[in-house]
Amino acid sequence: MLQFKWMDWDELTPYLEQLVELEIELTQKYHYPDMNIPRSFAEDRVKKLETHMKSGNTFFWAIIDGDNLLGYYWAYISIFINLKRWNLRSLMFRNEIKGQGYGILAIQTGLQKAIELGCDEVATEYVPWNKPMAQMLEKNGYIPSRIEVVKKLK
């Protein structure tokens, strides 16, 4: 039976290996497809998640089916100029549940949490070739505000 919930660190702990695997896939597929992402990179990100979640400014919403982590929405709060900003850091789902509306559910659930926490705005970023993410964000009222450009030196 599918569960949709905000999790604290202790609830997330049984799923850490799966989270590392999903982080590797997310980073490789949606951010740096021309790089070989080492497992240690994803492990380090997940290890830092514990500190951030326990600080109270980082939030993790998941779709769970028994012992399986099927997808997640990972966000944190920061202050940007004078604004309390909700930052969507990661949104990732296993292939078998993509296209079933869970991304929109996650986005809307995150927006509700941001409002509950008194945030002034919500921000995220995505790679240009991830058209489904662009469309989903646009449908939920996000508008582009900046473009990051990168020049490789090596």
Side-chain angles (χ1 to χ4, degrees), residues 137-154:
L137 291 170
E138 185 178 312
K139 284 180 184 177
N140 282 277
Y142 288 75
I143 55 172
S145 68
R146 297 179 283 193
I147 297 174
E148 177 185 72
V149 295
V150 176
K151 177 174 177 54
K152 298 199 183 264
L153 299 176
K154 294 182 181 186

Side-chain angles (χ1 to χ4, degrees), residues 75-147:
Y76 63 93
I77 294 174
S78 66
I79 301 300
F80 180 73
I81 307 175
N82 293 343
L83 302 172
K84 186 174 182 181
R85 178 180 273 186
W86 176 268
N87 300 277
L88 168 53
R89 184 243 179 234
S90 295
L91 180 64
M92 182 64 181
F93 299 100
R94 293 190 185 277
N95 287 334
E96 61 263 27
I97 68 165
K98 287 184 179 178
Q100 297 181 33
Y102 297 124
I104 290 171
L105 176 63
I107 293 287
Q108 292 173 347
T109 301
L111 291 172
Q112 289 172 354
K113 181 65 111 176
I115 291 166
E116 287 172 23
L117 295 170
C119 293
D120 299 300
E121 65 181 15
V122 179
T124 193
E125 57 188 48
Y126 59 90
V127 293
W129 61 85
N130 191 350
K131 302 296 183 203
M133 183 67 161
Q135 292 169 348
M136 184 172 49
L137 291 170
E138 185 178 312
K139 284 180 184 177
N140 282 277
Y142 288 75
I143 55 172
S145 68
R146 297 179 283 193
I147 297 174

